[in-house]
Amino acid sequence: MQSATRLTLLLCAAWAAALLYGEMGAYWAAHLSCSWPSASSFSPSPDNHVKIAVIADPQLMDSTSLGLPASSVALQAIELFTDLNMRRSFQSVILPFKPDVILFLGDHFDGGPYLSDEEWQESLFRFKHIFSMSEQRTNPHVPIYYLSGNHDIGYSGFHSIHPKVISRYEKEFGPRNYHFLSGEVDFVVVDAQTLDGGAKQSKERASTWEFIKTLSSGNESNPKVLLTHIPLYRPDNTPCGPHRSSPVINQRIYNAAMDQGIRYQNYLSKETSDLLLRLLKPTLVLSGHDHDQCTVVHSTTFGPVTEHTLGTISWQQGNLYPSFMLMSAGPKLIPNSTDSSHGVLTNLCFLPKQTHIYIWYIFQFLITVLLLVFWPTNGLSSLPYMNKLVSFMRSVGAELFSRTKEKDDEEDGEYEMVFDAEGSMHLVKKSVARPPRTNSDSRNVGRGNIVARPTARKHQTEPDSSVLVEMGSETPPEDGGKLPRPSKWNIRKVLQRLFRVVQSIVVIAALNVPLYMMFLFKDWIDR
């Protein structure tokens, strides 16, 4: 039982370490592995630059995500752990960077256009709780800018049938087309869902293009950053760079019936993308929608334009490597430079791989059960190969110790000085008189040439206690009773082992479940 107790305590410590890393340490490591971008690896970001944290596609799960009823326990559990992971990422990884501005690139909800007003308000409450700024005590009034996504308001083909989704969105998140100045950089926000459409010109599409044309004739002294939820056009199978983990998605467009506009598209059309770039002349484009990282360079008449498609922050949206971006916007870092992109620097940061953490929990649980089931009752020392290993290690240790002792005896001996005929001195070790052996030391008992030494009993291998117990159980009792049947004896051993496994699991859970609940509520409850 002492061996089983030691194993249980060891597994308790292993689970505590796994929970500490998976629920806290992984987020600390993600924060330490990223930093604000700078012009060189040796100089930090300038103080006159505005620090912007960029987040894409939270896409809060709801009743439209998995086809489960809104009241189902499974959906509520999935929502809880998904929301908890995003809140922990935002509070423990992003906010400690102390950004000056926070920018969301759209798709705040999953089924936004299809939710009832009550469900939409519930998702809005969850969104505000996940990305709450109450933890940011140094500067709780950080400005937040939002983009509309197709999962928030739908495409142009949906607006003509359900126009209220736009008014509902604008009431909480503001206008869909606007621009703001931050760090001497103009950020242009456009509603990309209304840019492409059918032959019928909708009111929303007309207002979006009118806004873009108004900005095209404005001040061009400041660099522009175009913010669009739907990425710009790129040819099929265009490489996305080293940070992408999933296959490249090619263009796909579905039109609504009766030429009512777009129902779905992966990228903007080529004509729309070229017109956007020609009118706004941005130095950088940021987009979302794809849920995975992608960096492409667009060729234009005024020079190359880099577009960063940012991956989702949620671990439930098909990307095993959720991410966010740190952006530094301000004056040109290199004086007299003709490249205005030097005023906008970006750095892609990755969040903990939550899917891998949960897989590790499952793997560790299986290892825990297997160890408890197959762990020997008397510990590893009862296994035959372990006895041989221990004996080998002991023999090696004894040999090393004996050599060290002989060497120490030689060094500790007494020496005397002897002078030869030429007057040279020599050190000669004195002879040590050893006491003669007495008969009490040997006490040899024998007959003829065979000698039996009682000291040899020390080297006799004692039988294993577990073997003695099993042999003793097979001896008939003194009162003449019958032996228990082998089948009943095996069932009894299995039940004892099962009880021991359940008992150990209960002990491990009793110590680690409260620890996990502490991590859970620490990040979920507003302080």
Side-chain angles (χ1 to χ4, degrees):
M1 292 299 294
Q2 291 182 356
S3 177
T5 302
R6 288 195 296 268
L7 176 63
T8 303
L9 295 177
L10 180 63
L11 291 174
C12 285
W15 271 105
L19 292 176
L20 183 62
Y21 176 78
E23 306 302 321
M24 290 183 63
Y27 294 85
W28 295 342
H31 174 73
L32 295 175
S33 64
C34 198
S35 61
W36 290 105
S38 59
S40 65
S41 58
F42 303 100
S43 61
S45 181
D47 295 333
N48 59 348
H49 272 220
V50 176
K51 300 175 180 178
I52 304 173
V54 187
I55 301 171
D57 298 89
Q59 211 160 318
L60 272 63
M61 303 186 72
D62 49 47
S63 57
T64 66
S65 303
L66 302 174
L68 298 174
S71 58
S72 65
V73 178
L75 178 61
Q76 293 177 2
I78 294 172
E79 289 178 355
L80 172 63
F81 284 95
T82 305
D83 295 356
L84 173 65
N85 173 259
M86 287 191 289
R87 175 176 168 84
R88 188 179 287 166
S89 299
F90 184 72
Q91 301 290 343
S92 302
V93 182
I94 299 177
L95 282 188
F97 284 108
K98 299 180 180 179
D100 302 318
V101 177
I102 296 177
L103 177 62
F104 287 89
L105 294 180
D107 274 3
H108 316 318
F109 311 130
D110 194 9
Y114 308 100
L115 297 177
S116 63
D117 290 341
E118 182 181 356
E119 292 175 324
W120 198 85
Q121 287 295 331
E122 181 183 351
S123 295
L124 178 63
F125 174 79
R126 289 167 51 202
F127 181 85
K128 291 181 177 180
H129 175 69
I130 293 170
F131 301 104
S132 172
M133 297 299 298
S134 60
E135 302 281 335
Q136 188 75 354
R137 299 172 182 171
T138 56
N139 187 8
H141 304 292
V142 174
I144 304 177
Y145 297 97
Y146 303 95
L147 274 71
S148 60
N150 60 297
H151 283 270
D152 300 322
I153 62 174
Y155 291 92
S156 57
F158 190 83
H159 301 157
S160 58
I161 305 174
H162 304 280
K164 74 169 187 176
V165 297
I166 294 182
S167 60
R168 185 172 65 180
Y169 173 87
E170 290 182 335
K171 181 181 178 180
E172 295 293 342
F173 295 101
R176 295 170 292 114
N177 300 293
Y178 63 98
H179 70 100
F180 62 93
L181 181 66
S182 184
E184 299 185 18
V185 176
D186 286 325
F187 289 85
V188 181
V189 179
V190 297
D191 179 11
Q193 291 72 232
T194 60
L195 291 177
D196 282 321
K200 184 178 179 180
Q201 183 80 349
S202 64
K203 178 181 65 175
E204 290 78 14
R205 185 186 181 196
S207 62
T208 301
W209 280 110
E210 182 180 355
F211 165 77
I212 294 172
K213 292 176 181 178
T214 302
L215 287 181
S216 64
S217 59
N219 183 18
E220 297 184 359
S221 60
N222 295 329
K224 288 188 179 69
V225 175
L226 173 60
L227 305 176
T228 167
H229 176 71
I230 302 177
L232 302 184
Y233 173 82
R234 69 282 310 267
D236 289 349
N237 302 317
T238 300
C240 279
H243 297 299
R244 189 175 183 88
S245 59
S246 61
V248 176
I249 299 177
N250 294 326
Q251 177 66 295
R252 183 178 52 173
I253 297 180
Y254 297 134
N255 294 305
M258 304 296 295
D259 202 16
Q260 293 293 321
I262 300 292
R263 270 195 313 117
Y264 184 83
Q265 62 183 149
N266 287 333
Y267 308 107
L268 296 176
S269 64
K270 188 177 188 316
E271 296 77 11
T272 299
S273 301
D274 293 341
L275 184 58
L276 266 178
L277 293 175
R278 185 171 67 252
L279 292 176
L280 295 177
K281 294 182 175 59
T283 60
L284 179 69
V285 179
L286 295 182
S287 58
H289 186 59
D290 194 10
H291 291 194
D292 204 347
Q293 291 70 230
C294 186
T295 301
V296 296
V297 178
H298 302 282
S299 298
T300 64
T301 56
F302 55 90
V305 177
T306 301
E307 177 182 1
H308 293 299
T309 300
L310 191 58
T312 175
I313 191 178
S314 175
W315 68 283
Q316 280 280 18
Q317 295 301 325
N319 189 353
L320 296 177
Y321 307 92
S323 61
F324 66 100
M325 178 175 284
L326 295 179
M327 177 189 298
S328 178
K332 299 177 183 178
L333 296 179
I334 301 178
N336 303 324
S337 174
T338 58
D339 186 4
S340 58
S341 64
H342 286 141
V344 182
L345 304 174
T346 60
N347 188 17
L348 182 64
C349 305
F350 289 93
L351 294 167
K353 306 171 186 63
Q354 192 64 39
T355 305
H356 296 174
I357 292 175
Y358 287 148
I359 291 175
W360 172 254
Y361 288 165
I362 296 174
F363 175 75
Q364 185 166 341
F365 176 77
L366 296 177
I367 294 297
T368 299
V369 174
L370 291 176
L371 284 175
L372 292 174
V373 170
F374 296 104
W375 191 263
T377 305
N378 297 325
L380 295 178
S381 59
S382 62
L383 300 178
Y385 61 88
M386 288 302 299
N387 288 332
K388 295 180 180 179
L389 179 61
V390 171
S391 301
F392 174 75
M393 296 300 296
R394 286 180 178 177
S395 62
V396 172
E399 183 178 358
L400 293 176
F401 178 75
S402 62
R403 291 181 180 179
T404 306
K405 186 176 180 181
E406 291 177 0
K407 184 177 180 180
D408 292 341
D409 292 342
E410 292 179 359
E411 293 177 354
D412 295 340
E414 297 182 2
Y415 295 84
E416 62 178 350
M417 294 183 296
V418 178
F419 295 89
D420 56 10
E422 298 178 356
S424 300
M425 183 187 71
H426 302 277
L427 291 177
V428 179
K429 185 177 180 182
K430 293 183 178 181
S431 59
V432 180
R434 299 182 180 273
R437 289 187 178 181
T438 59
N439 294 332
S440 59
D441 294 336
S442 58
R443 290 182 295 180
N444 298 337
V445 179
R447 178 181 298 176
N449 294 330
I450 301 176
V451 178
R453 300 180 183 274
T455 56
R457 297 176 182 175
K458 298 181 181 180
H459 304 284
Q460 294 178 0
T461 304
E462 295 183 0
D464 193 356
S465 58
S466 60
V467 179
L468 291 176
V469 172
E470 294 178 0
M471 293 178 61
S473 62
E474 296 177 359
T475 57
E478 296 179 359
D479 55 359
K482 295 182 179 179
L483 289 172
R485 296 181 180 179
S487 60
K488 291 184 177 181
W489 178 250
N490 293 333
I491 294 174
R492 183 177 173 185
K493 291 174 62 178
V494 170
L495 293 177
Q496 288 177 350
R497 176 58 64 94
L498 181 62
F499 175 77
R500 192 187 76 180
V501 170
V502 174
Q503 186 181 34
S504 298
I505 292 177
V506 169
V507 172
I508 295 172
L511 294 177
N512 288 279
V513 169
L515 179 64
Y516 179 73
M517 298 302 293
M518 181 187 69
F519 291 140
L520 186 71
F521 288 105
K522 176 187 74 68
D523 294 318
W524 186 246
I525 298 177
D526 282 325
R527 293 193 290 270

